[in-house]
């Protein structure tokens, strides 16, 4: 079975299907999806909880094939679900042969996947849409840094006291200098 018949699509809008529920008791949604022909979007009825308007997903449109839970090949056909004709189904990771992802969770793909194109053969990195510049190295002092010895702590405390004393003296000199100024009349 090949995933080349599947299409990358973007969800244009969602509507509830009334009080209809899936076999698992989840509410059904009718999703209008653009799979390459903006003038003629398809409708996909789903119970997937992760679909949102603007989501880029993978669709198995009518006429494509998938492997069901028993391992047999099935054809995707138009089906009336909750009074709405569904013209395909959202793919999960298992349908695409990707590792990870949950059963029944619609696969999301990054915006670099063109609408109407076949899905990538392996799971794309959603966090990195374009090659990113290397991140700057930041030195972070953490939990596993070397602890200061008593001598180092004393030296550091003495340096802080001297700096504080010097700052006080400088402030006192500035305050005292303004007190000593006489105003001539």
């Amino acid at each position: 079975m090949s995933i080349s018949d599947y299409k990358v699509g973007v969800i244009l809008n969602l509507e509830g299907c009334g009080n209809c529920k899936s076999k698992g008791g989840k509410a059904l949604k009718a999703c209008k999806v653009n799979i390459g022909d903006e003038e003629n979007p398809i409708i996909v009825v789903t119970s997937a909880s992760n679909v949102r308007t603007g989501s880029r997903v993978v669709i198995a449109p009518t006429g494509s094939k998938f492997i069901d839970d028993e391992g047999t090949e099935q054809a995707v056909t138009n089906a009336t679900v909750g009074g709405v004709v569904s013209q395909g189904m959202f793919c999960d990771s298992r349908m695409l042969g990707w590792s990870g992802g949950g059963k029944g969770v619609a696969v999301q793909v990054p915006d670099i996947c063109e609408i109407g194109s076949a899905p990538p053969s392996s799971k794309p990195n959603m966090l990195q849409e374009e090659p990113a510049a290397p991140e700057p190295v930041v030195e972070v002092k953490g939990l596993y840094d070397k602890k200061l010895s008593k001598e180092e702590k004393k030296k550091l405390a003495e340096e802080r006291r001297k700096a504080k004393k010097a700052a006080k003296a400088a402030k006192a000199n500035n305050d005292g200098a303004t007190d000593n100024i006489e105003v001539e009349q």
Side-chain angles (χ1 to χ4, degrees):
M1 192 201 72
S2 171
I3 64 171
S4 61
D5 291 337
Y6 298 166
K7 304 283 184 203
V8 172
V10 66
I11 298 175
L12 303 174
N13 67 14
L14 300 166
E15 292 179 13
C17 289
N19 293 329
C20 297
K21 304 269 186 213
S22 69
K23 291 177 188 172
K26 293 182 181 178
L28 294 172
K29 296 172 254 190
C31 306
K32 189 178 286 190
V33 185
N34 173 8
I35 59 169
D37 183 2
E38 284 186 53
E39 301 299 318
N40 298 306
I42 66 169
I43 303 293
V44 176
V45 178
T46 186
S47 65
S49 60
N50 66 326
V51 294
R52 310 270 185 280
T53 300
S55 294
R56 201 164 285 234
V57 293
V58 178
I59 310 291
T62 300
S64 59
K65 297 187 184 316
F66 70 99
I67 304 294
D68 67 11
D69 292 338
E70 288 80 39
T72 57
E73 190 174 277
Q74 298 285 325
V76 178
T77 59
N78 286 349
T80 302
V81 182
V84 178
V85 176
S86 183
Q87 300 167 307
M89 61 190 283
F90 292 126
C91 298
D92 62 14
S93 290
R94 186 184 57 78
M95 287 175 66
L96 298 170
W98 297 352
S99 61
K103 180 181 176 191
V105 176
V107 166
Q108 308 267 326
V109 293
D111 290 344
I112 59 171
C113 295
E114 286 188 43
I115 296 171
S117 67
S121 59
S122 62
K123 188 174 183 177
N125 182 352
M126 292 296 289
L127 300 177
Q128 185 176 350
E129 293 183 9
E130 298 175 8
E135 292 186 28
V137 177
V138 178
E139 186 177 325
V140 177
K141 297 206 179 227
L143 186 60
Y144 300 104
D145 285 344
K146 178 186 169 262
K147 302 284 183 178
L148 296 177
S149 67
K150 282 187 178 181
E151 293 80 27
E152 291 170 324
K153 288 180 181 178
K154 285 180 181 179
K155 185 177 178 183
L156 190 58
E158 182 62 33
E159 289 172 0
R160 288 182 182 151
R161 277 194 294 274
K162 284 181 183 179
K164 205 176 207 181
K165 198 179 222 182
K168 274 186 177 180
K171 185 176 180 186
N173 285 340
N174 284 343
D175 289 342
T178 56
D179 291 343
N180 294 335
I181 298 175
E182 293 182 22
V183 179
E184 292 184 26
Q185 292 186 0

